[in-house]
């Protein structure tokens, strides 16, 4: 039998409590400050940490008006949803092609390593060339941003999909070929549905990155009237940087959609990350 060390359990419990505090405390501050009025904010710690005297949604209404919330939300949803759908469709197909062939082919192995190495290229190096190229090609809009996102997140997503394919036995594909199914049909009818946990993982990781990103839309769509939520909040901070109540209300509004999406997909995410880590 495996002996459990009680000291180890206590250490794990302390670490879990500390982790919970680091997550719960900032979230508590965000909610409390968002519902407070400016007159309730004081320089004392007790004044900041105390609950609001009256729970009012006036800060949220004003934040929605100042940031043009619904327009910015629509742009963020459009860019995020299209990027996630394209990433799942394209990256899973590429991950399947490379994952099944890289072991027996130097060409596929080189292509796989070349694409995955893109994770180590910082965005700062690509920022100015991309801004110039997208402007010259007429892609300085939301379509260009989506196209760049699909390329940016390709290395990580292909790495995840290729790792997950290790858990799918080749016997399934061989049986499909015996029944007369083509490679294309085998992938979409058998492999693609089996990779559902990894689809959820890729969807959430990609959605989180796209939803919170401010640099790519700022560089590519600079000067246009198309604002995502992060861009709207950036403009808001430059104008109303000292109004913390409106700022935190705006942050909370932008947090809610992606938080709901994560809660819905969290079970599939855990399965996808654990299985995708197997090499």
């Amino acid at each position: 039998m495996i002996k459990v060390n009680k000291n180890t359990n206590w250490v794990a419990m302390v670490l879990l409590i500390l982790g919970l505090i680091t997550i719960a405390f900032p979230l508590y501050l965000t909610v409390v400050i968002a519902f407070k009025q400016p007159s309730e904010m004081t320089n004392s710690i007790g004044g900041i940490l105390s609950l609001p005297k009256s729970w009012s949604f006036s800060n949220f209404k004003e934040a929605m008006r100042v940031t043009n919330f619904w327009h910015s939300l629509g742009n963020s949803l459009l860019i995020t949803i299209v990027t996630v759908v394209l990433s799942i469709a394209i990256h899973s197909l590429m991950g399947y092609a490379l994952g099944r062939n890289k072991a027996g082919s130097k060409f596929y192995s080189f292509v796989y390593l070349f694409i995955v190495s893109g994770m180590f290229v910082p965005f700062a190096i690509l920022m100015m060339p991309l801004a110039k190229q997208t402007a010259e090609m007429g892609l300085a809009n939301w379509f260009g941003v989506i196209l760049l996102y699909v390329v940016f997140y390709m290395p990580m997503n292909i790495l995840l999909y290729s790792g997950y394919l290790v858990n799918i036995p080749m016997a399934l594909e061989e049986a499909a070929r015996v029944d007369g199914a083509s490679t294309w049909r085998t992938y979409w009818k058998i492999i693609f549905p089996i990779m559902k946990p990894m689809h959820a993982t890729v969807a959430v990781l990609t959605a989180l990155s796209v939803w919170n990103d401010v640099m790519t839309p700022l560089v590519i769509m600079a000067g246009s009237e198309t604002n995502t939520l992060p861009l709207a909040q950036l403009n808001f901070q430059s104008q109303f940087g000292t109004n913390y109540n409106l700022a935190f209300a705006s942050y909370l509004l932008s947090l809610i959609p992606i938080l709901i999406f994560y809660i819905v997909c969290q079970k599939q995410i855990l399965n996808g990350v654990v299985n995708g880590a197997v090499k």
Side-chain angles (χ1 to χ4, degrees):
M1 295 181 61
I2 300 176
K3 295 183 179 181
V4 179
N5 192 333
K6 295 183 178 181
N7 294 330
T8 303
N9 288 342
W10 279 108
V11 172
M13 184 64 67
V14 171
L15 291 176
L16 288 175
I17 293 174
L18 291 176
L20 178 62
I21 292 174
T22 57
I23 296 174
F25 182 69
L27 185 60
Y28 168 79
L29 280 181
T30 302
V31 174
V32 168
I33 295 176
F35 280 95
K36 282 185 176 181
Q37 296 301 318
S39 58
E40 300 180 58
M41 299 290 292
T42 64
N43 294 328
S44 63
I45 298 179
I48 297 176
L49 298 180
S50 61
L51 294 174
K53 296 178 180 178
S54 61
W55 296 81
S56 174
F57 288 92
S58 59
N59 290 329
F60 294 91
K61 294 179 181 178
E62 182 64 16
M64 292 173 68
R65 184 190 66 81
V66 173
T67 59
N68 197 4
F69 177 77
W70 294 113
H71 177 71
S72 302
L73 176 65
N75 292 331
S76 289
L77 286 175
L78 173 65
I79 293 174
T80 302
I81 292 173
V82 175
T83 301
V84 169
V85 172
L86 290 177
S87 296
I88 292 176
I90 297 174
H91 299 165
S92 63
L93 187 60
M94 295 179 64
Y96 171 71
L98 296 174
R100 285 304 195 212
N101 295 284
K102 65 180 181 178
S105 172
K106 292 184 178 180
F107 173 75
Y108 282 101
S109 179
F110 171 77
V111 173
Y112 172 79
L113 294 175
F114 178 78
I115 294 177
V116 171
S117 65
M119 292 189 297
F120 305 101
V121 180
F123 178 74
I125 296 177
L126 305 173
M127 184 169 57
M128 296 309 298
L130 286 176
K132 183 177 181 180
Q133 289 179 4
T134 51
E136 292 178 351
M137 298 173 64
L139 296 176
N141 47 42
W142 62 267
F143 178 77
V145 172
I146 292 173
L147 185 63
L148 291 177
Y149 279 144
V150 173
V151 176
F152 288 160
Y153 303 125
M154 182 187 301
M156 175 59 71
N157 292 343
I158 288 180
L159 179 68
L160 292 173
Y161 277 119
S162 299
Y164 191 81
L165 281 170
V166 176
N167 302 281
I168 303 177
M170 286 292 297
L172 294 175
E173 300 176 48
E174 293 172 355
R177 292 193 185 96
V178 171
D179 292 337
S182 62
T183 303
W184 185 259
R185 184 177 181 85
T186 299
Y187 172 74
W188 288 112
K189 294 296 183 180
I190 299 176
I191 304 300
F192 189 83
I194 293 177
M195 292 195 297
K196 182 180 177 181
M198 185 51 64
H199 295 327
T201 303
V202 168
V204 172
L205 293 178
T206 303
L208 283 172
S209 301
V210 172
W211 189 267
N212 296 320
D213 182 43
V214 64
M215 286 303 300
T216 305
L218 178 63
V219 172
I220 303 302
M221 298 189 300
S224 66
E225 297 181 356
T226 305
N227 274 342
T228 60
L229 275 177
L231 277 182
Q233 291 176 352
L234 181 65
N235 297 331
F236 172 84
Q237 290 175 359
S238 61
Q239 299 178 20
F240 306 94
T242 58
N243 195 330
Y244 297 107
N245 304 95
L246 291 183
F248 278 74
S250 176
Y251 301 153
L252 199 57
L253 285 171
S254 65
L255 173 66
I256 292 174
I258 200 67
L259 182 62
I260 294 174
F261 180 60
Y262 176 80
I263 292 174
V264 171
C265 301
Q266 62 177 339
K267 291 183 179 180
Q268 298 292 338
I269 295 170
L270 295 175
N271 293 334
V273 169
V274 172
N275 293 330
V278 178
K279 296 297 181 183

